[in-house]
């Protein structure tokens, strides 16, 4: 077994285990941390496939922004466990169906990866001087993203803007039961009101 195939199996196994931990843990903070681990392993898998730009963008956008945003919202809202627990038998058929679909997708990806590796019988030497004139990953993705999928790209940006505004609104609620300092009143006090003399009867 070649190192690339071994690395593919290791990263895929970590992705599956982390995904199961995301949906099975009751603590929301732990689920978000395992979601970050899923993104990191997926980034390594994309790097193994040769999509360097997508791999780095997955780390920058999802791990650096969206996952941190999820973690920020969960910690600020202080999500607690619900008292009413969901019956496991009620979601069992849906869970089995989703598991079968995901397992078939994983099996097809492994078979296609093994087929590509079996067709490549010997090493191919690449002349990077000739490859310098070809289209790189960034140009290919940009050409597709800003032409064919430009409307979807703008809609995704709008959804992220709404999510950002929602997070700001959720974290800016004012609590009435908390005593706060009023700096303006403290600074506007007079010197004769600072000390008060009281005559005590003997």
């Amino acid at each position: 077994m070649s190192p690339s195939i071994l690395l593919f199996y290791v990263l895929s196994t970590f992705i599956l285990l982390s995904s199961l931990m995301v949906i099975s843990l009751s603590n929301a903070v732990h689920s978000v941390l395992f979601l970050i681990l899923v993104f990191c392993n997926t980034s390594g898998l994309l790097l193994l496939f040769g999509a360097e730009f997508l791999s780095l963008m997955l780390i920058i956008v999802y791990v650096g922004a969206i996952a941190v945003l999820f973690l920020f919202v969960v910690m600020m809202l202080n999500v607690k466990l619900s008292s009413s627990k969901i019956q496991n038998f009620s979601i069992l058929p849906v869970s089995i169906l989703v598991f079968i679909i995901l397992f078939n997708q994983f099996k097809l990806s492994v078979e296609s990866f093994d087929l590509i590796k079996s067709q490549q019988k010997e090493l191919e030497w690449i002349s990077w001087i000739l490859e310098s004139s070809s289209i790189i990953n960034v140009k290919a993705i940009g050409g597709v993203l800003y032409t064919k999928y430009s409307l979807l790209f703008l809609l995704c940006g709008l959804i992220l803007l709404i999510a950002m505004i929602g997070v700001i609104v959720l974290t800016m609620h004012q609590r009435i039961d908390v005593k706060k300092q009023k700096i303006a009143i403290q600074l506007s006090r007079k010197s004769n009101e600072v000390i008060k003399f009281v005559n005590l009867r003997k």
Side-chain angles (χ1 to χ4, degrees):
M1 183 180 291
S2 63
S4 59
I5 296 178
L6 180 61
L7 190 59
F8 172 76
Y9 283 121
V10 170
L11 291 174
S12 302
T13 305
F14 274 112
I15 290 172
L16 289 176
L17 293 177
S18 302
S19 303
L20 290 175
M21 295 300 290
V22 169
I23 62 176
S24 61
L25 289 176
S26 58
N27 195 343
V29 177
H30 295 168
S31 297
V32 175
L33 292 177
F34 275 103
L35 182 64
I36 293 174
L37 187 60
V38 170
F39 290 151
C40 292
N41 290 321
T42 307
S43 176
L45 201 60
L46 289 173
L47 188 62
L48 182 64
F49 288 154
E52 298 89 359
F53 177 73
L54 288 177
S55 174
L56 295 176
M57 287 302 295
L58 187 66
I59 292 179
I60 294 171
V61 175
Y62 282 93
V63 179
I66 297 179
V68 175
L69 180 66
F70 288 163
L71 190 62
F72 176 73
V73 171
V74 167
M75 294 180 70
M76 289 298 294
L77 292 180
N78 195 12
V79 179
K80 297 181 180 179
L81 295 177
S82 179
S83 59
S84 60
K85 295 183 179 179
I86 302 175
Q87 297 291 333
N88 293 329
F89 295 103
S90 62
I91 60 174
L92 188 60
V94 180
S95 304
I96 294 174
L97 179 62
V98 171
F99 176 76
I100 291 173
I101 293 173
L102 293 178
F103 183 76
N104 287 329
Q105 292 292 327
F106 176 71
K107 185 178 178 182
L108 289 175
S109 63
V110 171
E111 289 176 355
S112 62
F113 189 77
D114 291 335
L115 181 62
I116 293 172
K117 288 298 181 181
S118 63
Q119 292 177 354
Q120 188 177 0
K121 297 181 180 179
E122 59 183 9
L123 295 176
E124 296 180 359
W125 297 98
I126 298 175
S127 177
W128 294 106
I129 298 175
L130 298 177
E131 290 289 333
S132 62
S133 61
S134 61
I135 300 177
I136 60 176
N137 289 334
V138 181
K139 289 184 179 179
I141 294 171
V144 175
L145 188 63
Y146 293 107
T147 55
K148 188 176 181 181
Y149 298 102
S150 59
L151 179 60
L152 295 177
F153 182 73
L154 293 174
L155 288 176
C156 289
L158 182 62
I159 291 171
L160 288 176
L161 178 63
I162 294 173
M164 183 179 66
I165 295 173
V167 169
I168 294 172
V169 170
L170 286 174
T171 55
M172 287 186 63
H173 63 280
Q174 299 291 331
R175 295 183 61 183
I176 304 175
D177 56 343
V178 178
K179 293 183 179 180
K180 297 181 180 180
Q181 290 181 332
K182 295 182 179 180
I183 308 297
I185 297 176
Q186 291 180 358
L187 295 178
S188 63
R189 64 183 182 177
K190 298 179 181 179
S191 59
N192 55 1
E193 297 177 355
V194 175
I195 301 175
K196 184 176 182 181
F197 296 96
V198 179
N199 294 322
L200 299 175
R201 290 185 297 178
K202 296 181 180 180

